[in-house]
Amino acid sequence: MCLFLVIACCFDYRTRKIPNGLILCCLITGMIYRLCIEGYAGLLAYLASTLMIIAMFYFFFWIGAMGAGDVKILGVCAGFFPWDKVLCFVFFALLIAAIFALGKMCLERNMKERLHYLGEYLWDVFRCGRWKVYFAGERECTATGICMAGPVFCSALLYMGGVY
């Protein structure tokens, strides 16, 4: 998994896309790993974890707050972890992503504008009663947001290091 995440980081930070072939390789490796370690129950647990995480984060993809590759890499990597550690893995990945995002906003000196945009977006959703694309009009011209491959990799390293 770590090898796939290092490669995913290279693609994600360079091109802002994670190739589906790489995600598929990680998926197959995870399924084989869990099958060898735990048998068919492990394979089913891998698939359940992966599908649960992808389903949980599909909404964020749908509104444009996360890329499809980010959701898929988070899901296929979550399957590598024991069932009781999946949510910890996701929590730490999102916490690290939030720290990266805060750092990026500080470096770009646009925290006030980003938070103002978030507030306007949430107010508009509340007022209209329907969701819309988060970065409507901005997505094409600038690289907004952060790449999730790095935070996913860091969260996996924290697990392997015994932090959770």
Side-chain angles (χ1 to χ4, degrees):
M1 174 182 64
C2 286
L3 176 63
F4 292 122
L5 284 172
V6 167
I7 296 169
C9 284
C10 292
F11 276 105
D12 206 9
Y13 286 106
R14 180 171 280 194
T15 65
R16 300 193 61 81
K17 296 200 181 298
I18 302 171
N20 284 332
L22 182 63
I23 293 169
L24 183 62
C25 288
C26 191
L27 175 75
I28 292 168
T29 303
M31 289 170 36
I32 292 170
Y33 169 75
R34 292 290 293 267
L35 181 65
C36 291
I37 299 297
E38 303 170 43
Y40 289 108
L43 176 63
L44 291 175
Y46 178 87
L47 293 172
S49 296
T50 299
L51 291 174
M52 178 186 72
I53 297 302
I54 289 173
M56 282 174 53
F57 286 94
Y58 177 78
F59 171 75
F60 295 101
F61 163 72
W62 183 69
I63 66 169
M66 287 179 83
D70 296 334
V71 173
K72 290 183 278 188
I73 201 74
L74 191 60
V76 297
C77 289
F80 277 89
F81 297 94
W83 189 254
D84 60 333
K85 299 296 182 185
V86 170
L87 293 180
C88 288
F89 163 73
V90 171
F91 171 78
F92 279 105
L94 294 177
L95 179 65
I96 293 165
I99 293 168
F100 283 11
L102 285 173
K104 183 178 179 183
M105 286 188 287
C106 287
L107 287 173
E108 294 176 355
R109 298 175 200 248
N110 66 356
M111 187 175 301
K112 183 178 177 185
E113 293 84 13
R114 293 282 89 198
L115 293 176
H116 185 271
Y117 183 86
L118 175 64
E120 285 182 348
Y121 173 81
L122 292 173
W123 175 248
D124 191 45
V125 167
F126 176 75
R127 186 176 45 81
C128 294
R130 63 182 171 84
W131 294 97
K132 64 177 188 167
V133 176
Y134 184 64
F135 287 114
E138 260 188 62
R139 185 63 78 180
E140 299 81 21
C141 60
T142 66
T144 55
I146 62 158
C147 301
M148 280 298 293
V152 169
F153 181 53
C154 292
S155 181
L157 291 177
L158 289 174
Y159 172 77
M160 288 183 273
V163 173
Y164 61 92

